[in-house]
Amino acid sequence: MGFGKVKAALLSLNLIVGTPASNPLSCTKDIFASLTLDAIHVASLNVTAASGLPISGYLSTDDDTGRRRQMPLTVDICLVTLTYTHPGTGDNVHTYIGLPLDAENWNSRFLMDGGGGWVAGGQEQVLTPVGLGYVSSSTDGGHNASVTTAEWGLKAPGKTNWPALEDFASRALHEAALLGKMAIKLYYKSEPRYSYWNGCSTGGRQGHMMAQNYPELFDGIVGAAPAINWDKFITAEFWGAFMANILVRTDVQPPSCVFSAFRDAAIKACDLLDGVKDNIIALPGQCHFRASSIIGETVDCIEPNGKITITKKMSDLVQAMWDGPRSAEGKFEWYGFHQDTNLSAILSPSCTSVDSCTMVPFSIADDWVKVFLERNANFDTETLTLQDYTRLFHQSVDQYASIIGTENPDLTKLKRVGTKMITWHGMQDQLIMTNGTVDYYNRVMSGDPDVADYYRFFLAPGVQHCHSGAGFDPSATTFDVLRSWVENGTVPETLKATAAAVGSSNTSSTRTGNLCLYPKVFTYTGDDPNEASSFSCV
Ligand SMILES: *[C@@H]1O[C@H](CO)[C@@H](O)[C@H](O)[C@H]1NC(C)=O
Ligand SMILES: *[C@@H]1O[C@H](CO)[C@@H](O)[C@H](O)[C@H]1NC(C)=O
Ligand SMILES: *[C@@H]1O[C@H](CO)[C@@H](O)[C@H](O)[C@H]1NC(C)=O
Ligand SMILES: *[C@@H]1O[C@H](CO)[C@@H](O)[C@H](O)[C@H]1NC(C)=O
Ligand SMILES: *[C@@H]1O[C@H](CO)[C@@H](O)[C@H](O)[C@H]1NC(C)=O
Ligand SMILES: *[C@@H]1O[C@H](CO)[C@@H](O)[C@H](O)[C@H]1NC(C)=O
Ligand SMILES: [Ca+2]
């Protein structure tokens, strides 16, 4: 999220306010005066007709490294901004609704684009969909994305800001959908033909929240690499930082090149188990490589420069991150990361020399432990023992699962109203453990063996969080596939994805693969690994 971009857009918005297009519709405050809901008190309503508003964004599930959709650079928009509170809670929500200014530019559809990390959404999230012809709405989820979690997450030290968390988790999202649809009626005097949610990560969790609680508001949902099981996976995301404190803080802390050495050794040992040498461990269940097997080896590092020897403590740390958190009694708490995953992403070693590094825990996990579990923004996480970690893990589940867990496997309502949902998850996801989504889908499937009629899940070997990596990335096409399923009844048996070509000196050449409907497994069965027909779903 570039907040500089939002500011620039707002500035230019001011310049063009008051240049109404030749427009039979009326983008005025009067038209939207009745825009409200029973549970809210509207503090301000702003309506702006803007022509040529610049857009810099792209749909959140698209790869931002070169496969952006063909996007117009500016948009003619009727932008509605609503500020409101839920009386008695002291909260403050900003919701943004964007409508194509001219009716002929509206494709008769409604599309909400999801947020990321602690960002629920904002004005930027509506501009791109409107540029593509949709009406869109989005919300800041009850907190300003540029203030720290410590500022909005606590009412006072020791006191969780429950209303703000509830807004972020679900309440404001639900309301943004309702308000967006109301605005459509007020402006165009008609209903959308189809309504969609499209998101990844936090946006994927938001999509699942809609699927679990408000499926009647959507015809189709993409909820990729979803931050579901939030209460468990966010605490699990802190496990690496916790183990680094226990194992290596007072010892030699590994620079990134050491994490890469473990990953490279695992790939060397297990890459070919799936039949293709492509830096992807597509069959992790068959990979029995242990981190301890490279203890004593020397790693040549470039940045920082120097040689470093792998210690047993470093190997214990990496093995712990692969295995995932275990309780003080040694019991399974949550999943780890696959062995071909970039472990530096959640520890970000910061080094002055090869043997002088400190770990910088991934901020969302660090915030969770300090602000939401210890309820003290200055809490020193270096003091935590395994007993403490175990207690915090269970506290997180007890206190937060029902509000933000987003892990209810009962999708009966979604099934009944006929909403379709697609989820995919990269198997090299370095932030959200892939197997948490597998766990959720298995739970849905055990309640309804026919789940694939309405909810389809695809694993993407070699893909990192939301996009990128060596592997088969479906992010550029998934939303179109969902639309075809909803609007044309084209059931996605597989999900088309692209990866870097194997054995090619041309680094821009790609190969295609058709990802498999879970629980089927993407399996190499042919000759040329660059041909989609060399893989099948087994
Ligand atoms: C709404 O408009 C008023 C008056 O122009 C302005 O003071 C206020 O900051 C605006 N609020 C938002 C949320 O844009
Ligand atoms: C959010 O905070 C930033 C920085 O403090 C401020 O500039 C901006 O106006 C705020 N946005 C809203 C919608 O209040
Ligand atoms: C994820 O689940 C698969 C299938 O059960 C298993 O093979 C794999 O080792 C698991 N990976 C992690 C990191 O838990
Ligand atoms: C691993 O992640 C870190 C942090 O996001 C990044 O700087 C680094 O380039 C990544 N390494 C690889 C090999 O992708
Ligand atoms: C549905 O099918 C028609 C006819 O083949 C095609 O033109 C249209 O693009 C399809 N719509 C979607 C959303 O795939
Ligand atoms: C590299 O591959 C891309 C995509 O297949 C192709 O468009 C391009 O012409 C190739 N370049 C060379 C130098 O072969
Ligand atoms: Ca492989």
Side-chain angles (χ1 to χ4, degrees):
M1 280 282 297
F3 280 90
K5 286 182 205 160
V6 178
K7 272 187 201 144
L10 284 169
L11 272 180
S12 49
L13 183 62
N14 285 339
L15 298 177
I16 47 183
V17 167
T19 46
S22 54
N23 175 21
L25 300 174
S26 171
C27 176
T28 60
K29 217 168 153 167
D30 289 354
I31 292 289
F32 297 102
S34 63
L35 197 58
T36 190
L37 298 166
D38 284 348
I40 72 175
H41 171 75
V42 175
S44 79
L45 167 70
N46 286 15
V47 178
T48 308
S51 297
L53 184 67
I55 35 181
S56 51
Y58 48 92
L59 289 181
S60 61
T61 50
D62 279 4
D63 184 339
D64 59 359
T65 57
R67 286 204 292 271
R68 293 185 185 192
R69 275 157 208 270
Q70 289 297 308
M71 281 294 306
L73 296 173
T74 62
V75 63
D76 297 347
I77 189 171
C78 179
L79 187 61
V80 180
T81 306
L82 206 65
T83 306
Y84 65 83
T85 186
H86 297 90
T89 69
D91 69 348
N92 182 28
V93 180
H94 292 79
T95 291
Y96 304 87
I97 303 165
L99 308 104
L101 195 55
D102 298 317
E104 71 242 32
N105 290 334
W106 183 38
N107 65 14
S108 308
R109 291 164 180 85
F110 176 58
L111 167 61
M112 294 182 76
D113 199 17
W118 287 119
V119 179
Q123 177 176 282
E124 197 179 26
Q125 273 76 8
V126 308
L127 299 183
T128 301
V130 174
L132 293 166
Y134 298 85
V135 168
S136 185
S137 69
S138 184
T139 175
D140 70 355
H143 71 264
N144 185 330
S146 44
V147 312
T148 66
T149 312
E151 286 171 272
W152 71 263
L154 293 172
K155 279 207 153 158
K159 287 195 162 158
T160 296
N161 187 353
W162 293 104
L165 188 66
E166 207 177 311
D167 285 333
F168 175 74
S170 62
R171 181 170 52 190
L173 303 171
H174 177 215
E175 290 163 350
L178 293 172
L179 292 164
K181 291 190 153 195
M182 281 172 86
I184 290 176
K185 259 194 245 170
L186 294 171
Y187 193 58
Y188 304 111
K189 317 272 182 276
S190 71
E191 309 261 357
R193 274 172 58 207
Y194 299 103
S195 298
Y196 295 102
W197 181 277
N198 180 49
C200 191
S201 194
T202 277
R205 186 194 67 76
Q206 294 169 329
H208 281 73
M209 181 59 84
M210 296 303 195
Q212 291 165 17
N213 297 300
Y214 316 110
E216 69 283 1
L217 296 175
F218 297 91
D219 299 292
I221 294 169
V222 172
I228 55 172
N229 310 297
W230 178 283
D231 52 307
K232 302 187 188 80
F233 105 80
I234 296 279
T235 323
E237 208 182 31
F238 191 74
W239 174 246
F242 167 74
M243 288 304 284
N245 278 334
I246 298 276
L247 291 166
V248 296
R249 186 166 52 83
T250 55
D251 206 80
V252 180
Q253 305 198 49
S256 289
C257 49
V258 165
F259 290 112
S260 299
F262 281 103
R263 178 182 189 232
D264 293 347
I267 289 174
K268 196 170 168 212
C270 298
D271 191 348
L272 265 172
L273 292 173
D274 56 36
V276 186
K277 196 165 179 323
D278 53 4
N279 287 320
I280 299 168
I281 303 176
L283 300 174
Q286 295 185 15
C287 180
H288 305 297
F289 179 80
R290 303 288 302 174
S292 58
S293 53
I294 61 167
I295 294 172
E297 287 189 9
T298 304
V299 184
D300 273 315
C301 298
I302 295 164
E303 231 192 291
N305 201 281
K307 287 187 195 305
I308 187 164
T309 302
I310 305 266
T311 63
K312 173 164 190 313
K313 286 180 174 184
M314 292 174 191
S315 109
D316 287 349
L317 172 60
V318 166
Q319 190 65 47
M321 292 171 79
W322 288 345
D323 290 343
R326 295 295 179 269
S327 72
E329 297 78 39
K331 284 223 219 62
F332 171 88
E333 300 277 29
W334 200 244
Y335 304 94
F337 294 103
H338 284 131
Q339 288 152 308
D340 53 351
T341 298
N342 177 4
L343 296 179
S344 302
I346 55 161
L347 284 179
S348 305
S350 160
C351 308
T352 51
S353 68
V354 76
D355 49 9
S356 176
C357 303
T358 48
M359 304 293 151
V360 182
F362 184 63
S363 68
I364 296 178
D366 196 50
D367 286 347
W368 188 249
V369 170
K370 290 175 178 163
V371 176
F372 289 95
L373 298 179
E374 290 291 348
R375 299 187 166 94
N376 168 5
N378 301 315
F379 182 78
D380 179 4
T381 53
E382 289 183 0
T383 64
L384 293 172
T385 64
L386 184 55
Q387 279 72 21
D388 294 327
Y389 180 87
T390 306
R391 171 180 53 78
L392 291 175
F393 196 96
H394 293 126
Q395 180 194 332
S396 183
V397 174
D398 292 345
Q399 297 181 339
Y400 294 101
S402 64
I403 182 166
I404 196 173
T406 324
E407 59 209 33
N408 180 357
D410 181 357
L411 297 179
T412 322
K413 196 169 164 196
L414 178 105
K415 181 179 189 172
R416 194 174 63 238
V417 299
T419 303
K420 306 287 186 274
M421 175 157 68
I422 297 177
T423 293
W424 67 268
H425 205 133
M427 292 173 69
Q428 284 184 8
D429 195 314
Q430 71 279 30
L431 298 178
I432 301 180
M433 305 80 191
T434 315
N435 276 9
T437 302
V438 175
D439 181 298
Y440 176 72
Y441 195 80
N442 283 339
R443 285 186 293 125
V444 179
M445 198 161 50
S446 67
D448 181 5
D450 298 326
V451 55
D453 291 351
Y454 52 90
Y455 175 26
R456 295 193 158 228
F457 174 46
F458 302 86
L459 281 168
V463 181
Q464 301 181 1
H465 188 56
C466 291
H467 53 70
S468 307
F472 293 89
D473 181 350
S475 60
T477 53
T478 305
F479 182 61
D480 293 333
V481 169
L482 174 77
R483 272 191 52 178
S484 301
W485 188 12
V486 169
E487 299 182 19
N488 283 353
T490 311
V491 179
E493 293 307 338
T494 57
L495 194 58
K496 198 169 175 181
T498 52
V502 173
S504 165
S505 55
N506 179 351
T507 52
S508 66
S509 67
T510 56
R511 57 179 170 146
T512 304
N514 298 310
L515 301 178
C516 300
L517 176 65
Y518 184 86
K520 288 206 172 119
V521 177
F522 186 67
T523 307
Y524 175 64
T525 50
D527 302 323
D528 184 350
N530 291 328
E531 291 297 327
S533 59
S534 299
F535 294 82
S536 56
C537 297
V538 177

